[in-house]
Structures are given as structure tokens and as C-alpha cells.
Amino acid sequence: MKRSVPKAFRGSIVETIDTKKFLKELEKYFTRNEKAKIGHTLSKLINMRSGGKRNIREYIIEMSNLARKLKGLMLELFDDLLVHLVFISLFAQYGQFVVSYNTQKDKWTLNELVARCVQEEERLQ
């Protein structure tokens, strides 16, 4: 097994006969920095802007997928926050739609948001 490890790593890994210890030492060199991954994914989510080139459903699903990735990294964003992030990132042409949501007492789920955004997109075209 040691022969399959590149020579560059062999010298920096403690010599051991025990396979489990060897693999644990090797794992230290290949672990990802979860904090950096969280920061990068969260930055992508926050800086997203809806583009006129793709449809709104795909855009919201992409934002939802980024939120799921964050959940997998032990940083859960609740649907209410994600709904507001979507509204913040919408183009100005959705301004009346956003005002309409803000004047309602009810909160929308992510599925309701997708359905209503698709209707609004069709109305705007």
C-alpha cells in the first residue's frame, strides 16, 4: 500500500506498520477545509443575481441547491431566509412583485415562491 502513495508524501508520513494509523496520517493531507468551503458557497449564494437569460425557476433551484450544500456542511439556512435572499436578488422588473409579497401577512414556502415567480415571469414577458 505504501508503494501506491506518491514519494512526495511518503517522507512526511510517520512510518507505521498499522494500516489504520497509516491511513489516518495520509488522510490529514487530503482533508478539505470545511470553513473555506462554507465561505465560498455562502458567498456564491449571497452574491447571486437573477439574470434575464435563464428562467426564474432554474435560478431559484440553483439557490436552493447552494443552500442544501451549506446544510451538508453543517450550516443550515431556513426556508424563510432563502425566500428573502431570492427576493433581494431579483431584478428591478420584479419590484412590484416584491412589494406585493411584503404587504401580505402570509409567508411563502420555497415551492410557493417558485410557482409565483414563474407566474410573474410569464406575466412580464
Side-chain angles (χ1 to χ4, degrees), residues 78-95:
F78 296 104
D79 277 353
D80 289 347
L81 178 60
L82 190 56
V83 166
H84 284 283
L85 284 173
V86 170
F87 277 125
I88 290 168
S89 68
L90 291 175
F91 274 169
Q93 64 191 20
Y94 287 90

Side-chain angles (χ1 to χ4, degrees), residues 10 13 34 48 71 81 92 101 115 117-118 123:
R10 285 187 211 161
I13 298 174
E34 296 299 320
M48 281 185 73
K71 186 176 182 179
L81 178 60
Y101 171 76
C117 280
V118 167
R123 187 188 71 78

Side-chain angles (χ1 to χ4, degrees), residues 37-47 66 70 75 77 85:
K37 183 81 170 163
I38 289 171
H40 176 73
T41 306
L42 190 55
S43 176
K44 269 177 80 173
L45 178 64
I46 291 171
N47 292 317
L66 287 172
L70 287 169
L75 180 68
L77 300 179
L85 284 173

Side-chain angles (χ1 to χ4, degrees), residues 5-23:
V5 175
K7 289 182 180 181
F9 293 112
R10 285 187 211 161
S12 58
I13 298 174
V14 177
E15 286 292 324
T16 179
I17 298 173
D18 186 14
T19 305
K20 286 184 182 181
K21 287 181 184 177
F22 178 74
L23 290 175

Side-chain angles (χ1 to χ4, degrees), residues 32-78:
R32 295 181 302 186
N33 187 339
E34 296 299 320
K35 290 179 194 174
K37 183 81 170 163
I38 289 171
H40 176 73
T41 306
L42 190 55
S43 176
K44 269 177 80 173
L45 178 64
I46 291 171
N47 292 317
M48 281 185 73
R49 295 291 173 250
S50 64
K53 297 177 183 174
R54 59 181 165 180
N55 71 37
I56 194 74
R57 180 183 317 230
E58 290 174 0
Y59 172 71
I60 296 171
I61 289 171
E62 185 178 342
M63 287 186 83
S64 177
N65 286 340
L66 287 172
R68 269 195 218 102
K69 283 182 183 179
L70 287 169
K71 186 176 182 179
L73 295 168
M74 304 304 170
L75 180 68
E76 185 172 358
L77 300 179
F78 296 104

